Structures are given as C-alpha cells and as structure tokens.
Amino acid sequence: MRRMISAQAALEARTLLRNGEQLLLILIIPLLLLVAFSLEPLVNFGAGLSRINFLTPGIIALAVMSTAFTSQAIATGFERRYGVLKRLGATPLSRGGLIAAKTATVIGVELLQGVLIIAVAAAIGWRPNASPAAIVVAPLLIMLGTAAFSGLALLMAGTLRAEATLAAANLIYILLLGLGGVVFSLNKFPAATRPALQLLPTGALSTGLRSVLQYGVVFPVGNAVTLAAWAVVAIALAARMFRWD
C-alpha cells in the first residue's frame, strides 16, 4: 500500500507541476506578489513596519490556499467530471489510498513553496522576530490551514460541476487575497469588519503566522482554534456530501 500511495503521489505531483496554469497559481503568483509589494511602496503598511516582514507570513498563507484549496479544487473537480476518481477508486489503491496520495502531494508542494518563499524573502531582507516555539507552532498553523482548505476544496469539487468549481475557486482566491490579510493589513478595514475577516481561514492563517513570525507570539490560540474549526467542519461536510461521479 505504501508503494502504491507513493507512486500515485508522484504521479499527482508530476501532473500538477506539468500544468502551466497550476504552476503559475501555486508558485509564480505568490513569489511575484512577494517581490512586487516588498520592493515597491504599492501599499502603506504604516510607519516603522517593514514591508517584507509584513508580507512574508501572508504570502506563505496565500501559497497554502493556492495549493490546498484553489489548485486541488479545480483538479479534483475535473477528475470527477471525466470519471478519473471513479476509476481510481476501483483500483487496488482504494479511495483511502487516493486521498492519502493527494494529501502527500499537497504537503510536498507546500514544502517546495515554503523553501522558495523563505529563500526569496531572506534575499530581499526578511528577518523574522520569532520565539523558539515558532519551529513547531508555524508548521502546526500551516497544517491546520492545509486541512481547512483541503476540506473546503473537496467539499466544493465533490458537490459542484467542474466548470462551477473552476469559477468559484478562482473567485474565492481573489476575494481572500484581498480580504484575508495577505497583502493588505486587516487594520485598513473598518473596525466593525475586522473580527469577521479574522474568522476567514486566510485571515486566521495569515494573522497567526504574522503573530508568530513577526511579533514573537508563542502560540496564537484564537487563530489556531479558528483554523481547527474550519478544518473539522469542512472535512466533515466533504466526507458526507462528496460525490465520486
């Protein structure tokens, strides 16, 4: 079973990385946003606040969303439409093995994204101000975010038509890019809307990572609980409502 899962995960990764549109979404756009908003004063983050220190945690959150949600939702939606999932579910790999392979692919791509983003950010001048606990807490937040976005991706891909999934996933990506604290500080929004924006999965992940990596917070409990709640609800609904064909 381990060999089958590894083989399927390798196939999923090769398919993803050979797709120019998906590669643009998961790798190129986050890096371009990081460089553009860091080097040019396109957004005013406030006096005394380094642009690169603000942006890097948000771009990491964006990368997680692009891989675990947008890319996975679109790919799974079209695999379901063309009967790929139904056929794979009937192979010795089993559906559980297929889900494990997809999960391993998402995590592997996120590791690649993380290495590239951190390398580019460090070259630009990112100097995190984190406690030793960040070595554990930051990956934990990313894993909770990955679970939440993956659950939402499978819920969408398993209930909507492929074309509707494509449109909805891209629309949500754009909305969360603007409203999730990725490149725009939530302090720029009206005070009455900030609590709601922090409850969005992107808002919780970007705010939590920024608290840990920029402000030295040991463990952002509220953000972690928000992400865990999204993960539990989304995965439960996806497991109940997902249709394989």
Side-chain angles (χ1 to χ4, degrees):
M1 178 60 70
R2 287 195 300 270
R3 290 196 298 270
M4 286 190 290
I5 292 174
S6 298
Q8 182 63 29
L11 174 62
E12 297 271 353
R14 288 196 301 271
T15 302
L16 175 63
L17 296 177
R18 287 173 181 170
N19 188 318
E21 294 177 356
Q22 299 301 317
L23 193 62
L24 175 69
L25 176 69
I26 64 176
L27 291 179
I28 307 303
I29 290 179
L31 291 176
L32 285 177
L33 290 174
L34 177 66
V35 173
F37 282 90
S38 297
L39 298 181
E40 296 295 332
L42 302 175
V43 178
N44 180 16
F45 298 121
L49 186 61
S50 168
R51 292 196 297 270
I52 186 62
N53 287 344
F54 175 85
L55 283 168
T56 301
I59 295 299
I60 293 174
L62 177 67
V64 172
M65 180 180 70
S66 66
T67 301
F69 174 69
T70 311
S71 178
Q72 185 170 209
I74 295 171
T76 305
F78 280 96
E79 286 176 350
R80 174 171 164 258
R81 174 184 176 180
Y82 295 125
V84 175
L85 293 182
K86 184 178 180 180
R87 291 178 175 86
L88 284 174
T91 67
L93 176 63
S94 80
R95 293 183 177 183
L98 177 60
I99 293 173
K102 285 185 172 294
T103 302
T105 301
V106 168
I107 294 174
V109 172
E110 287 180 351
L111 289 174
L112 174 61
Q113 289 174 311
V115 169
L116 292 175
I117 291 171
I118 291 173
V120 172
I124 295 175
W126 179 47
R127 298 296 181 266
N129 178 30
S131 70
I135 298 176
V136 175
V137 176
L140 174 62
L141 291 173
I142 291 173
M143 293 303 296
L144 288 173
T146 299
F149 284 122
S150 293
L152 292 171
L154 293 176
L155 176 61
M156 180 180 293
T159 55
L160 301 178
R161 294 189 304 114
E163 293 81 3
T165 298
L166 174 64
N170 284 317
L171 177 60
I172 292 173
Y173 178 87
I174 294 172
L175 290 175
L176 293 182
L177 172 61
L179 301 176
V182 175
V183 296
F184 304 106
S185 172
L186 295 182
N187 292 330
K188 300 291 184 182
F189 294 92
T193 65
R194 292 173 199 166
L197 295 179
Q198 290 182 355
L199 291 177
L200 296 173
T202 312
L205 182 56
S206 61
T207 302
L209 289 175
R210 197 167 287 120
S211 298
V212 171
L213 299 176
Q214 181 181 342
Y215 299 113
V217 175
V218 175
F219 187 77
V221 177
N223 300 126
V225 170
T226 299
L227 291 172
W230 274 102
V232 170
V233 173
I235 291 173
L237 289 175
R240 181 178 180 85
M241 301 176 65
F242 190 91
R243 300 192 302 271
W244 292 87
D245 51 17

